[in-house]
């Protein structure tokens, strides 16, 4: 470690204040410059990430950051499938989760979460009853709140200001228009209201103040970054090749990363958390208990093979029919 040298007061002019957490002056020789490893650890602790439950998304995003806003845009069915998986995975990790929508019913949201636990689209659960008992047992114990309809924004605000706010907060049908229902529900009132100022939703301030990972989902119109210009990350999912493939584009800090994948109505492999993702100590995700072979048989009942990732753009080799790279 290297201590800061006394620069005769220059440190204060450069924003360096030799004061401890209690406000008392520190001896410059005892105020060490943090190492890169320490800085990295501090940043990760400040903005830990929760896994999405989708390996491709986790590979592109590293997970959904607590204290940050992530915008997801996709067509209705695909968007609901992704949000259902994210909600199921976070709640299955024992994080309090709220899934709110002004474009879906409560029944549709719950069905999407249940199917998301298996890595399947909601329509899959309409075709067979083979997993009902197993899903029922887990849905009953999830720390999950679902809110639907025109009352969803107001009830969402109540949940997020309650004694037990959600850590993962997912909003579907978000509109960034001023004075919209979601704009009012997501406002942070200033400590001393200024009658001359106009309060509105702040995508930077809200997740920091509420200490949550905020996910805002919109229809795929190609302009999500304009509706929420200060979000930390933008995720866009676009069907390709007659909807047999999906292009996933993630934009962070003006840099785009894309992959084209072929997703089938079958099991996606359980994701392996990265160093930046947080896991509850001593907690096994509730969805990890189902054997892949059992869900594969479930997919077979629907006439679909259980593929996880068939093709990744620019990869040297595509996985084989069993989902394993040759």
């Amino acid at each position: 470690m290297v201590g800061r040298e006394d620069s005769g007061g220059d440190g204060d002019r450069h924003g360096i204040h030799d004061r401890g957490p209690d406000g008392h002056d520190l001896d410059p020789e005892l105020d060490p410059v943090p190492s890169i490893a320490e800085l990295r650890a501090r940043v990760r602790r400040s903005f830990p990430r929760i896994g999405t439950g989708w390996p491709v998304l986790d590979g592109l995003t590293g997970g959904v950051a607590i204290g940050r806003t992530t915008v997801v845009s996709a067509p209705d069915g695909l968007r609901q499938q992704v949000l259902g998986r994210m909600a199921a995975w976070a709640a299955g990790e024992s994080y309090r989760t709220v899934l709110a929508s002004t474009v879906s019913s409560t029944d549709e949201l719950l069905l999407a979460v249940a199917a998301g636990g298996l890595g399947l689209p909601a329509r899959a659960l309409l075709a067979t009853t083979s997993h009902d008992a197993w899903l029922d047992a887990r849905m009953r114990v999830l720390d999950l709140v679902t809110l639907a309809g025109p009352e969803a924004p107001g009830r969402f605000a109540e949940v997020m200001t309650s004694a037990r706010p959600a850590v993962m907060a997912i909003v579907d049908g978000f509109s960034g228009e001023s004075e919209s229902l979601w704009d009012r529900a997501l406002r942070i009132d200033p400590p001393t209201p200024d009658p001359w100022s106009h309060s509105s939703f702040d995508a930077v301030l809200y997740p920091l103040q509420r200490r949550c990972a905020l996910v805002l989902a919109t229809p795929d119109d190609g302009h999500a970054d304009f509706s929420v210009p200060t979000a930390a990350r933008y995720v866009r999912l676009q069907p390709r090749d007659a909807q047999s493939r999906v292009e996933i584009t993630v934009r962070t800090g003006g840099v785009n990363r894309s992959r084209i994948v072929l997703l089938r109505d079958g099991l996606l492999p359980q994701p392996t958390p990265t160093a930046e993702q947080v896991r509850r100590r001593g907690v096994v995700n509730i969805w990890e208990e189902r054997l892949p072979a059992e869900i594969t048989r479930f997919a077979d009942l629907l006439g679909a093979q259980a593929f996880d990732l068939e093709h990744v753009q620019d990869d040297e080799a595509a996985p084989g029919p069993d989902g394993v790279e040759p």
Side-chain angles (χ1 to χ4, degrees):
M1 287 293 192
V2 179
R4 295 196 184 109
E5 295 183 359
D6 186 357
S7 56
D10 287 343
D12 285 342
R13 291 200 298 271
H14 293 285
I16 300 174
H17 304 282
D18 296 324
R19 298 181 184 275
D22 57 358
H24 291 90
D25 291 337
L26 290 177
D27 184 339
E29 295 300 325
L30 300 178
D31 186 20
V33 175
S35 68
I36 297 301
E38 289 172 328
L39 292 172
R40 184 185 302 114
R42 290 181 191 177
V43 171
R44 285 176 172 170
R45 285 197 300 268
S46 299
F47 301 101
R49 299 179 182 182
I50 300 175
T52 67
W54 293 81
V56 176
L57 278 183
D58 281 343
L60 290 171
T61 66
V64 182
I66 297 174
R68 292 286 186 262
T69 296
T70 300
V71 176
V72 176
S73 61
D76 291 346
L78 183 58
R79 189 176 72 252
Q80 188 182 68
Q81 183 177 358
V82 172
L83 298 181
R85 176 65 167 176
M86 293 171 68
W89 193 256
E93 197 76 9
S94 297
Y95 288 107
R96 183 165 175 77
T97 301
V98 58
L99 174 60
S101 174
T102 52
V103 294
S104 299
S105 67
T106 300
D107 291 345
E108 289 173 326
L109 294 180
L110 289 172
L111 201 64
V113 172
L118 294 172
L120 297 167
R123 65 180 181 274
L125 297 185
L126 301 176
T128 181
T129 62
S130 61
H131 284 261
D132 285 6
W134 188 84
L135 289 171
D136 286 341
R138 279 144 187 81
M139 291 294 290
R140 292 191 187 104
V141 299
L142 286 181
D143 197 355
L144 173 72
V145 179
T146 53
L147 308 171
E151 299 84 12
R155 295 173 61 196
F156 177 91
E158 294 174 0
V159 170
M160 296 306 294
T161 55
S162 68
R164 293 187 65 240
V167 177
M168 173 71 87
I170 304 174
V171 170
D172 189 22
F174 174 78
S175 171
E177 297 179 359
S178 178
E179 296 300 324
S180 68
L181 292 176
W182 283 119
D183 177 71
R184 293 197 294 269
L186 291 165
R187 291 178 184 176
I188 297 288
D189 294 328
T192 55
D194 182 355
W196 300 102
S197 66
H198 174 70
S199 175
S200 61
F201 165 58
D202 189 325
V204 175
L205 181 61
Y206 186 90
L208 285 173
Q209 290 276 352
R210 299 293 183 232
R211 298 180 181 178
C212 70
L214 180 62
V215 178
L216 304 178
T218 67
D220 181 24
D221 57 6
H223 301 292
D225 51 343
F226 293 104
S227 61
V228 192
T230 56
R233 181 174 288 111
Y234 302 88
V235 179
R236 187 181 185 190
L237 298 99
Q238 300 171 278
R240 292 285 186 258
D241 302 331
Q243 299 191 353
S244 63
R245 297 178 186 273
V246 177
E247 181 177 1
I248 304 174
T249 302
V250 176
R251 184 160 68 85
T252 306
V255 178
N256 288 354
R257 298 180 63 200
S258 298
R259 285 189 177 182
I260 296 178
V261 297
L262 178 59
L263 299 177
R264 299 289 183 86
D265 295 348
L267 171 72
L268 291 177
Q270 306 296 352
T272 300
T274 66
E276 294 182 339
Q277 291 178 21
V278 290
R279 301 296 298 268
R280 295 294 296 273
R281 182 174 298 177
V283 173
V284 175
N285 195 298
I286 200 171
W287 304 110
E288 291 181 318
E289 301 170 6
R290 205 57 166 175
L291 295 177
E294 294 177 335
I295 304 178
T296 299
R297 287 194 295 271
F298 181 35
D300 290 340
L301 292 174
L302 305 176
Q305 289 178 294
F307 280 75
D308 49 71
L309 178 64
E310 267 202 358
H311 173 72
V312 177
Q313 194 176 34
D314 298 330
D315 278 7
E316 294 182 357
D322 58 354
V324 179
E325 292 188 359

